[in-house]
Amino acid sequence: MRLKRILIPSPHEPLPLWMIFSVIFAALYVSHFSLLHLPYYWDEAGYYIPAAWDFFRTGSLIPVTTLNNAHPPLPSIYLALWWKLSGFTPEVTREAVLLVAALGLLAVWRLALRIVDAGSVAFWTVLLAGLYPIWFAQSSLAQADIFASACSLWGLAYSLPSRGRNPRAAALWFSAAALCKETSIAIPLTLAALECVEGFFDLPSARTRRWRQAAWLSACVLPLAAWYAWHFAKTGNLFGNPAYVRYNAEATLAPLRILAAFGHRILQLTAHMNLFVPVFVALAALVLTPLADAEGHQRPGIDPPTLRRIFLLLLVEAIFFSVIGGALLTRYLLPLYPLVLLLALSTMYRRIPYWHAAAVLSAAAFLAALFINPPYGFAPEDNLQYARVIRMHQAGIAQLARRDPGATVLTAWPMTDELSRPELGYVSEPWDVCPIDNFSAGQIAKAAEEPEKYSAALVFSTKYEPASTVFTLGKASRALDERYFGLHYDLPPQAIALELGGALVWQEGNHGMGIALIRFDRPVEAHLGGGRNPANGQIAFANRRP
């Protein structure tokens, strides 16, 4: 009977889920085809791939070649399984992640159908979620957020709509999400808390049912607690590297920092990467009278209890990730973007006569944001800028190999790992590196004091620099970002070469970021960079990831 329900659609689902999944995965595969061969990027290279690689080679769930941040192990197990079946290559990894992204979009389809019960709304919600630059980019990046988001969205599909809830199925999916990323528990615990509160104002029979649902939703804490207990027994550290905990959960508690981060989170949930287009259209549509369907009834919208839960989740997650997490990365909010789009599209569907045109406009805005960078600072992993950065790093390493083979290289993370870890896909043999934190004036001055430690420097943009400062909020905002969010300013390659006494022999730049090779005609101490030292270049960055 269970197999029959999977293969044969219900009256509320116009097509079986396996068919929808096949179409979604095929669309993702074709649209990401040119990205599948790319080597690993940023936090992939810094933690997630090394952690999975360690499990693949040694069977250890605790990383041994990178800093241990105590992240739950399900992504490592999943990736290692695919590598065992198909080989350890970036293509296999990215295809495996695309399967997870397709599973997440399938959850969006089911969730939209159950909440709005309109196939056209479900179609546009899935299409816009898949096209939204942050989801699109994360769909092929082996970072825990896409795994946790897919599981969380399935948990929401079974727990968020007012009708047909299945708290046991939701508990299983939320438990899987927690074992992908620990911060995923905020979603089910928020829903559980709301069930408990609403239970106090309900009839005794309904109260028992609500509290039972709350207990199931809260059950996701148990496997996560078991993981941390096992981790503590093995390492003596409950949450992993102490500096990581300090950066992500202790140094973030300043009230001014929380307020500034909350402002960033609200903008990320309403405007970032052209999200303002569907949000603004939906807000404008609220002044219109709801439309009637063919039978003269008002088109269905989202019922008040579900609407209340969605807005509460958006608010709680925005606050949660303003308090927790040292870096303001948008991928932490990944499971929320389909909810925002569902809110916007259901409003358009209910109130705008030609609402498909508004959906097409939103899709065009998202496509543009995939390729065109915003006029303000952002993380390259929020759109296809990340692919440009990877190719730029590949070009720099190729120039280094051609012009200065055997050099000891002064550089910063993630280039330190890209050069010293062949398994990341950039080099076939490890290079000796001399790591620095970044290319700011202070770090370059320190490097200038020890010129004997390197014979070449590969310098690059560690952040995106917008061409215009029109969209900045002035000196006060920059001061807050410098104080709380790690904002720094890299010196230009010419200035670095001058400061270090080297010759700028090659450079390349586009879309607000660049890379350059500097050579030095002097002897260098042997192997001071440490080659395969797993700590090289990691400390300043690995501590920033929740």
Side-chain angles (χ1 to χ4, degrees):
M1 290 297 293
R2 184 176 298 275
L3 180 61
K4 184 178 179 181
R5 287 197 296 269
I6 294 173
L7 296 177
I8 301 177
S10 70
H12 298 288
E13 297 176 356
L15 292 172
L17 291 181
W18 67 265
M19 187 178 295
I20 300 296
F21 177 82
S22 300
V23 172
I24 291 173
F25 177 73
L28 285 177
Y29 187 87
V30 171
S31 60
H32 288 78
F33 185 77
S34 64
L35 307 173
L36 298 180
H37 69 283
L38 293 177
Y40 301 113
Y41 172 76
W42 209 252
D43 281 356
E44 283 187 304
Y47 180 82
Y48 295 109
I49 295 302
W53 174 245
D54 289 343
F55 175 69
F56 176 66
R57 292 182 303 112
T58 69
S60 172
L61 291 175
I62 298 174
V64 295
T65 64
T66 188
L67 292 181
N68 176 26
N69 292 343
H71 288 312
L74 199 54
S76 293
I77 296 172
Y78 174 78
L79 291 177
L81 175 63
W82 276 103
W83 294 339
K84 186 72 172 178
L85 294 174
S86 304
F88 178 71
T89 66
E91 291 89 343
V92 170
T93 304
R94 303 205 184 285
E95 288 165 1
V97 177
L98 283 179
L99 284 169
V100 175
L103 185 68
L105 291 178
L106 184 67
V108 174
W109 168 267
R110 187 177 180 93
L111 180 63
L113 274 182
R114 295 194 62 208
I115 289 179
V116 181
D117 197 19
S120 56
V121 174
F123 167 80
W124 278 112
T125 305
V126 170
L127 181 63
L128 290 184
L131 281 178
Y132 186 56
I134 298 170
W135 185 283
F136 187 94
Q138 295 299 319
S139 292
S140 63
L141 293 175
Q143 299 176 141
D145 305 87
I146 191 67
F147 295 87
S149 296
C151 295
S152 294
L153 287 166
W154 273 106
L156 289 173
Y158 286 109
S159 62
L160 189 57
S162 297
R163 59 179 175 84
R165 291 178 183 169
N166 188 335
R168 293 178 178 84
L172 288 175
W173 282 108
F174 284 133
S175 296
L179 289 177
C180 291
K181 193 170 186 183
E182 61 275 17
T183 52
S184 299
I185 62 171
I187 291 177
L189 291 184
T190 298
L191 295 176
L194 185 59
E195 290 292 336
C196 289
V197 171
E198 291 180 344
F200 282 109
F201 302 97
D202 219 329
L203 297 175
S205 58
R207 182 181 307 154
T208 301
R209 175 178 54 82
R210 286 186 179 277
W211 288 356
R212 187 181 299 115
Q213 289 182 357
W216 277 109
L217 293 173
S218 302
C220 65
V221 174
L222 298 178
L224 183 63
W227 158 252
Y228 279 127
W230 183 84
H231 185 275
F232 179 76
K234 291 292 185 179
T235 68
N237 290 318
L238 187 62
F239 299 115
N241 182 272
Y244 156 82
V245 177
R246 185 165 52 252
Y247 182 88
N248 286 287
E250 296 176 5
T252 61
L253 300 181
L256 184 59
R257 191 260 178 208
I258 295 173
L259 184 62
F262 183 72
H264 281 278
R265 294 306 190 189
I266 294 300
L267 288 174
Q268 290 171 353
L269 283 172
T270 58
H272 186 46
M273 288 295 167
N274 291 349
L275 187 59
F276 69 87
V277 174
V279 169
F280 178 80
V281 171
L283 289 175
L286 290 175
V287 303
L288 302 176
T289 303
L291 302 171
D293 59 21
E295 299 178 355
H297 304 296
Q298 283 189 358
R299 286 185 177 178
I302 301 176
D303 61 85
T306 303
L307 201 61
R308 181 166 60 249
R309 280 163 170 74
I310 292 176
F311 278 113
L312 180 64
L313 286 174
L314 295 177
L315 177 62
V316 169
E317 287 282 279
I319 295 174
F320 180 68
F321 284 111
S322 299
V323 176
I324 298 296
L328 293 175
L329 298 177
T330 55
R331 70 170 189 259
Y332 301 161
L333 307 175
L334 196 59
L336 303 183
Y337 291 114
L339 299 182
V340 173
L341 291 171
L342 180 58
L343 288 174
L345 287 164
S346 65
T347 303
M348 297 178 198
Y349 166 75
R350 193 164 187 249
R351 297 174 182 271
I352 300 177
Y354 301 101
W355 72 279
H356 291 284
V360 170
L361 177 64
S362 301
F366 290 172
L367 279 172
L370 266 174
F371 298 94
I372 303 173
N373 293 337
Y376 51 83
F378 77 108
E381 65 177 25
D382 287 356
N383 69 359
L384 290 179
Q385 180 70 9
Y386 90 88
R388 300 186 189 114
V389 172
I390 290 176
R391 294 183 177 112
M392 192 167 58
H393 284 209
Q394 287 180 303
I397 293 173
Q399 290 291 328
L400 174 66
R402 184 171 70 86
R403 295 172 181 267
D404 206 351
T408 298
V409 187
L410 176 75
T411 192
W413 187 86
M415 183 66 75
T416 48
D417 283 2
E418 294 167 5
L419 287 171
S420 62
R421 300 188 66 132
E423 62 268 22
L424 299 181
Y426 291 86
V427 298
S428 58
E429 295 293 334
W431 291 66
D432 287 330
V433 295
C434 178
I436 55 177
D437 290 344
N438 51 58
F439 303 105
S440 62
Q443 288 292 304
I444 296 302
K446 290 181 180 179
E449 296 174 357
E450 299 178 310
E452 72 282 355
K453 289 190 173 183
Y454 51 88
S455 59
L458 200 52
V459 303
F460 57 92
S461 302
T462 58
K463 60 185 179 61
Y464 171 72
E465 292 281 3
S468 172
T469 59
V470 173
F471 286 85
T472 61
L473 299 179
K475 293 182 179 180
S477 176
R478 289 196 297 272
L480 283 175
D481 289 345
E482 290 175 10
R483 181 177 179 182
Y484 293 117
F485 307 121
L487 177 65
H488 66 273
Y489 297 96
D490 295 325
L491 291 177
Q494 296 85 349
I496 295 175
L498 182 64
E499 177 76 13
L500 298 180
L504 183 63
V505 296
W506 172 85
Q507 65 176 331
E508 178 184 296
N510 58 66
H511 297 88
M513 302 186 77
I515 190 168
L517 176 62
I518 301 171
R519 291 185 61 186
F520 307 93
D521 293 325
R522 58 183 177 228
V524 64
E525 295 181 6
H527 302 292
L528 284 175
R532 299 300 303 279
N533 183 350
N536 276 349
Q538 291 278 345
I539 296 174
F541 287 87
N543 296 337
R544 297 169 57 173
R545 309 306 181 196

